[in-house]
Amino acid sequence: MSRPRAALAMAPRTAAAVLDDGALTALRRITDLADGVLDDFTRPAAHAVLRDVELLVTGWGCPPLDAAVLAGAPRLRAVVHTAGSVRRHVTEACWERGIAVTSAAAANAVPVAEYTVAMILLSGKRVLERARDHRAARRADDGLGVPPHLGNYGRTVGVLSASMIGRRVIDLLRPHDFRVLVHDPHLTEAEAAELGAEAVSLAELFARGDVVSVHTPLLPETRGLVGRELISSMRPDTVLINTARGAVLDQDALAEATGAGRIRAVLDVTDPEVLPPGHPLWTDDNVLITPHLAGSQGNELRRLAELAVAEVTRWAAGEEFAHPVRRERLGMIA
C-alpha cells in the first residue's frame, strides 16, 4: 500500500516544540510527509501541498480550514490535531465534507488534571500562604493551633462539568478522602455515581463545595456562567479554581469576593489572557494567578506527539481513530 500524502499545518514554533525528531521520523515512515510547515494557506507553496494532501497534522497556530481552503484540498480526508480543542481551525465546512477529525485532548487533559489536583491539595493546607508567612516570620509554626477547618480530610470538592478534563480530575481524586460533587446538565445521577461523584445542581455545587474547580468549555451558553450570584453563595474560605477559560467567570464579582477575604481563587486562565497591570486580582493575596501553564508544556508535549503519531498510524492502516472528535461532542472538550 502507498503511504498517504500528509502535511504539517501549525505555527513553525509549535512544530519545533511538539514534534521532535522521533515523532517526525515516525510520521515520515507512516506517511509521505511534505517538507516544511504550513502556517498560511494563502501562499502558492501551500496551494501546491494542499492539492495532493490526504491528511493534515495540525497544531497551535493552524489557520482555519474553511470552505475556500478545502476547495483547494480536494483529497483531504482527515485531520489529526496535536493539541486539545479543534474549534479554532476545524470549521463547519470540514464537518460538511465528512473529514475525520481526532485530537490529543485526552493527552492534554492529563497535566491539566494533575495541576488541578495539586492545587486542591495545596489550597487545603494553605501551603503557599503559610510558606509566605513562614518566610516573613522565620519562626516555628504552631501545628496544634491551626484552625480545625484547615486540611484535606473530608473536604468537599465540586467539579463544574464532566468534560474530558473534569472526568480526569474526578478519577485522580479517588485515592483521597474527599467528597466529590459534579454538575453537568448532560450527566445523569447514575453516570455521576459511576465516575465516583454525586450529581448536584449548579447552585448546590457552589453552596456545598469547599473547593469548586471549573472545567466547562467556553461556549455561548457558558460565557459568564460563574456569575455574581454563584460566587456570593460560596461559603467563607471556599477556593475557586479555574483552568478552563477566563470568560466563564465574572472576574469583577470574583475580585470583590477575594478582595474582601471571603473566598480564595487559583486562576490559570483569565480574560483577557493577561490582565491589565492595574487589575486588583494581581495584588490580591487571596488569589494565585499562573500563566496558563496547566496544559501540556516541556516534556509533556511528547505525550501529545505520541498520541498524534498513534492516530496517524491507525488511520494510515485503515482503522478508526481511537480519539475521534465528533461535531456534536465539541462541548466536551474544554
Side-chain angles (χ1 to χ4, degrees):
M1 289 177 56
S2 62
R3 293 175 299 159
R5 180 67 167 165
L8 306 180
M10 59 190 77
R13 289 185 71 237
T14 300
V18 176
L19 299 171
D20 60 13
D21 290 342
L24 290 173
T25 298
L27 289 174
R28 292 190 180 105
R29 184 174 61 249
I30 303 160
T31 71
D32 177 16
L33 186 66
D35 293 333
V37 181
L38 306 181
D39 63 344
D40 183 348
F41 293 145
T42 66
R43 295 175 181 170
H47 293 165
V49 172
L50 289 171
R51 273 197 301 270
D52 299 322
V53 77
E54 300 168 76
L55 168 74
L56 282 178
V57 178
T58 63
W60 295 305
C62 178
L65 293 162
D66 56 24
V69 173
L70 294 184
R75 301 181 63 196
L76 180 63
R77 295 185 288 125
V79 171
V80 173
H81 190 47
T82 60
S85 176
V86 300
R87 283 193 289 267
R88 290 186 178 180
H89 66 290
V90 174
T91 68
E92 279 299 310
C94 294
W95 302 118
E96 291 170 3
R97 165 87 72 90
I99 291 173
V101 179
T102 183
S103 89
N108 196 49
V110 175
V112 180
E114 291 172 344
Y115 170 101
T116 300
V117 173
M119 291 302 174
I120 290 171
L121 294 169
L122 290 172
S123 68
K125 291 184 75 74
R126 283 184 171 265
V127 169
L128 300 178
E129 298 94 332
R130 294 172 72 189
R132 179 194 63 210
D133 294 344
H134 185 55
R135 174 177 291 182
R138 303 192 181 190
R139 61 173 179 267
D141 188 49
D142 179 11
L144 294 178
V146 169
H149 68 271
L150 190 148
N152 285 309
Y153 180 68
R155 290 179 94 200
T156 299
V157 178
V159 176
L160 177 53
S161 182
S163 62
M164 191 176 292
I165 295 171
R167 290 168 184 257
R168 183 84 183 193
V169 169
I170 293 171
D171 187 56
L172 291 180
L173 290 174
R174 286 179 184 271
H176 303 283
D177 292 312
F178 291 128
R179 290 183 293 271
V180 181
L181 312 177
V182 61
H183 172 75
D184 190 309
H186 307 293
L187 193 72
T188 67
E189 290 185 8
E191 289 169 336
E194 188 174 344
L195 290 174
E198 176 188 351
V200 298
S201 68
L202 184 61
E204 191 174 357
L205 188 82
F206 279 80
R208 287 179 57 188
D210 296 308
V211 182
V212 177
S213 190
V214 179
H215 300 287
T216 182
L218 181 59
L219 304 168
E221 59 268 29
T222 63
R223 183 175 291 275
L225 176 66
V226 182
R228 187 173 300 276
E229 183 176 349
L230 287 175
I231 292 172
S232 297
S233 73
M234 299 174 78
R235 292 180 293 107
D237 205 41
T238 299
V239 179
L240 181 60
I241 300 175
N242 187 16
T243 58
R245 292 290 183 268
V248 174
L249 303 186
D250 180 337
Q251 290 180 161
D252 291 337
L254 178 64
E256 290 176 17
T258 57
R262 199 174 61 76
I263 67 171
R264 294 178 283 149
V266 176
L267 306 176
D268 191 49
V269 288
T270 55
D271 184 31
E273 185 70 21
V274 179
L275 293 172
H279 198 286
L281 288 173
W282 280 124
T283 54
D284 192 334
D285 286 341
N286 292 308
V287 179
L288 172 66
I289 301 176
T290 55
H292 204 161
L293 57 78
S296 299
Q297 294 186 353
N299 60 27
E300 297 162 342
L301 296 174
R302 293 206 304 269
R303 188 188 283 120
L304 305 182
E306 288 170 1
L307 187 146
V309 169
E311 291 290 66
V312 172
T313 302
R314 289 186 184 91
W315 186 81
E319 301 174 10
E320 296 289 330
F321 286 136
H323 302 279
V325 177
R326 312 291 188 195
R327 175 165 45 178
E328 64 274 13
R329 300 282 290 176
L330 284 176
M332 295 296 291
I333 304 177

